[in-house]
Each structure stands twice: as structure tokens, then as C-alpha cells.
Amino acid sequence: MKKWVWNSFWFVLVALVLYWAFKDIDFYEVYLILTYANLNYIGLAIFVTGLTFFVWALRWTFVSGSLFKGDFWFLLNVLLAGAFFNSVTGGAGVGGEPFRAHFLAKRYKRSRTSMLAYVLADKFYQVVVLVFFAIFSIFFVFVFVNISNTLKYILEATLFFMILFLGITIYLIIRRSNFSIGKLFKKLHFLSFFKKRFRNADEFGEFINKHSNVFMRVFRKSVRNRKIMFEAFFLSFIFWIFNYLAAYFLFLAFKMEVNFLVIIIVVTLGNLIGAFALVPGGVAITEVAMTLLFAAMGVDLAFAFIVSLLVRLIYYVFSLPIGAISLWYIKKITHNENEEV
């Protein structure tokens, strides 16, 4: 399928979802609500959103140990630039991780596989905390919110895969396994992409095993230190609290007092749904999911729409224009350092 056909399909699909979700919103009412917004609370929402990147970079310095010590500013810019790639690539927000690994490998003269392990080891803590919040949120919705059978089945499937993810992850970290991932992946050698790069399936399998062993060695080293684990999980918890506070302050900006528990549930599930959407950065899907979830929890639809939209717009301010500037900065830094060498 040609790229333009695929892009057109997703554009039409997103447009239909947006129409279906927002057709009952009175946009004149939305305009009137925006006119009396308290700018101080909106400023606080912007501030705590910025703090999420600060906390993330701080956690990364703990997880990576002495490797990135003293490079907090560089790591912060790498994170922002990675957020830019996550916002412009489809799927579960994975575009930024290989990018971060690439520039870390260039600066520290390490393999991209080992740098990707450090990147994912740091992201691991953030994802695990999100999964725990998500499991709690799904159980809460099951018990206290009246939802359709279709949504119930979707949430049940999501819950199953999250618990499975936690179980497999914990097993791989705690135990050493003789499982050869190369045996599994070499079956994909028939694809033309791999045939061009590897002479046969065995060579492809050996390549996968070599890099997966390097990856798992670095990853285990990064996540098995108890002191680092405590600090990283604590900072991951703070990271998500700041995300929830951004939505909380936005409701206060419009003189709406919404239970903080409701905000945790909606922001968690909205981010989760957006992460698995096959559109760049979960654009529109996350906003729609949060709007509908807030409305299902008893929030007026117009306020639900405004807050959901503003939460995402504030994030995009950091991930797109600021992320693009960070991308330019780290390209310049690594280029100059390589020239000096």
C-alpha cells in the first residue's frame, strides 16, 4: 500500500473519531469558558509539565550510574529531542528511544546496543509505575463506572497484557535464561529487508543473539541495583504525579474542582490508549480518550474537552518546538566533539 493511501486512511479515521467524539460539544460554550481562565493555574500546569522532563533526566543519571555523571544538561536535551521524535512517529511512542541511543553512542563512543539498553532501562521504571497506575485505574472503572460491554472487553484485554508484561519482565530481570532469541527471529530471514543484510538465517540468528546478550547484560546491570531501583521508582512516581498535577491545575484554572483520583484514572488510561494508537504521538486519539473518560466520570463535556486538549497542547510545546531546538543543540554538540577528536 502506497504511503499516501495509508496516511489518507488514518487521516479519515481520525477525522471520523473526532467528529463522533466532539459532535455534542457546544464550542461557543468552550470559547466562553476560555475567556475567564485563571492564567496563574495555567502557568502552574506548564511549569509541572516542564518538571516531568527535569525529573526524567535526573532519574536517568541515577540509572546510568557514573557513565553520564555530570551530563545532566546534555541528557535533558536528549530527552526533549527524543520527545520530538516520539511525537512525530506512529506507534507506542518508540521513535525517540533509538534516537536517544544513537546520540549517546556518538558522544560516549559506545555501541548503540548498549546505549539502547541504558535508555530502555531508564524507561522501564517509568513504564512499570504507569502499568501499576493503569491496573488500579482499570479495576476502579470496572467497579465504579458504568461502561459498555465493548469497552469492558477492551479494558479486560489491556489488563491481561499488562499483567503478562509485568510477569515476563520481572522473570527476565531476576532469572538468567538460556532461551535463544536468535532461534525465534531467524525465522524472519525470508523477509527481503533481512535477506539483503544477512547471507543466511543462521548468520541473522547469531547477530540477534550477540546484540541481545549485550543488551540484557547492560539492562540487568542498570536495574538490579537496589539503591538505584528505589531512587528510580521514586522519581518515576514523582514523574507521573507531575503529569496528573498538570490536569489538576487546568481544572482549577476554570474553577472546576475535580477529584484527584479521577484525574489519575483518566490521564493514565488516556496516555495508555494514545500510546498504542498507530498515529504519530497518539494525536487526537489521546485527547478523545481523555475527553470521553472525563465525561464518563461525571465532568461536564465542555470542560473535559478543554482540559484534555490543553494538557496535550502544553506537552506538544515541550516536545515539538522545544524538542526541535534540543535536537539542533545536541547535533551541534556531538558534531563539534567528533571534529575535535
Side-chain angles (χ1 to χ4, degrees):
M1 185 181 290
K2 293 183 179 180
K3 187 176 181 181
W4 71 268
V5 176
W6 184 253
N7 290 337
S8 299
F9 168 77
W10 281 112
F11 176 80
V12 172
L13 179 62
V14 170
L16 289 173
V17 170
L18 288 173
Y19 171 76
W20 173 78
F22 299 144
K23 61 184 175 62
D24 295 325
I25 295 176
D26 184 343
F27 286 96
Y28 181 70
E29 181 186 359
V30 170
Y31 166 75
L32 292 177
I33 293 171
L34 288 171
T35 58
Y36 66 77
N38 186 320
L39 296 180
N40 291 329
Y41 281 117
I42 292 178
L44 281 173
I46 295 171
F47 177 69
V48 295
T49 302
L51 284 179
T52 62
F53 290 98
F54 180 88
V55 170
W56 191 346
L58 185 61
R59 185 188 66 220
W60 204 359
T61 61
F62 285 126
V63 172
S64 57
S66 60
L67 181 61
F68 306 146
K69 191 174 182 180
D71 266 357
F72 177 85
W73 176 248
F74 180 76
L75 291 180
L76 180 61
N77 279 278
V78 169
L79 285 175
L80 286 163
F84 171 83
F85 275 87
N86 277 338
S87 295
V88 298
T89 55
V94 296
E97 276 58 55
F99 161 80
R100 290 166 184 148
H102 169 74
F103 276 95
L104 290 174
K106 285 184 68 175
R107 182 163 204 194
Y108 297 103
K109 306 300 185 292
R110 303 289 186 94
S111 71
R112 277 178 290 195
T113 303
S114 62
M115 291 297 97
L116 182 60
Y118 278 112
V119 171
L120 295 182
D122 165 72
K123 191 72 175 283
F124 160 79
Y125 295 101
Q126 185 169 306
V127 172
V128 169
V129 173
L130 175 63
V131 167
F132 277 111
F133 274 123
I135 291 172
F136 164 79
S137 299
I138 291 173
F139 275 118
F140 185 93
V141 170
F142 279 159
V143 175
F144 297 105
V145 181
N146 185 22
I147 58 176
S148 66
N149 287 332
T150 302
L151 182 56
K152 184 178 180 181
Y153 295 145
I154 293 172
L155 292 178
E156 285 175 346
T158 304
L159 183 63
F160 170 77
F161 284 111
M162 285 190 298
I163 293 174
L164 182 65
F165 161 78
L166 281 179
I168 293 174
T169 303
I170 292 170
Y171 175 80
L172 290 175
I173 292 170
I174 294 176
R175 297 180 62 88
R176 292 183 177 274
S177 175
N178 293 324
F179 174 71
S180 174
I181 194 171
K183 290 182 180 179
L184 178 65
F185 274 85
K186 74 178 186 179
K187 295 177 181 179
L188 300 176
H189 184 260
F190 70 91
L191 297 173
S192 59
F193 177 84
F194 298 122
K195 275 188 175 181
K196 292 177 182 177
R197 290 161 177 79
F198 302 96
R199 288 176 295 180
N200 52 57
D202 289 334
E203 182 182 329
F204 178 48
E206 289 174 6
F207 173 84
I208 294 294
N209 278 334
K210 177 183 176 182
H211 286 272
S212 64
N213 288 335
V214 172
F215 175 85
M216 288 307 299
R217 184 172 64 252
V218 175
F219 185 85
R220 284 195 182 101
K221 180 181 176 182
S222 300
V223 302
R224 294 181 77 174
N225 184 300
R226 291 183 180 179
K227 183 174 182 295
I228 290 175
M229 286 185 72
F230 174 80
E231 292 168 341
F233 275 126
F234 174 75
L235 289 171
S236 297
F237 178 79
I238 298 300
F239 170 88
W240 285 112
I241 291 298
F242 282 150
N243 275 282
Y244 303 139
L245 280 173
Y248 181 72
F249 287 139
L250 287 173
F251 275 116
L252 292 181
F254 301 108
K255 300 179 181 178
M256 283 280 293
E257 291 191 11
V258 177
N259 191 302
F260 197 69
L261 181 62
V262 170
I263 290 174
I264 290 176
I265 293 166
V266 171
V267 173
T268 298
L269 296 180
N271 275 280
L272 199 64
I273 293 168
F276 289 104
L278 297 177
V279 293
V283 174
I285 304 300
T286 304
E287 291 83 344
V288 168
M290 288 177 61
T291 299
L292 297 179
L293 285 167
F294 272 129
M297 303 288 277
V299 177
D300 180 83
L301 188 59
F303 285 101
F305 169 74
I306 291 171
V307 170
S308 300
L309 183 62
L310 286 178
V311 164
R312 298 292 289 168
L313 286 177
I314 291 171
Y315 171 76
Y316 290 135
V317 167
F318 285 94
S319 66
L320 293 176
I322 297 178
I325 293 170
S326 294
L327 173 60
W328 169 82
Y329 171 77
I330 61 176
K331 279 186 174 180
K332 180 181 178 182
I333 290 293
T334 53
H335 177 72
N336 291 341
E337 289 178 346
N338 288 333
E339 281 191 340
E340 290 176 3
V341 173

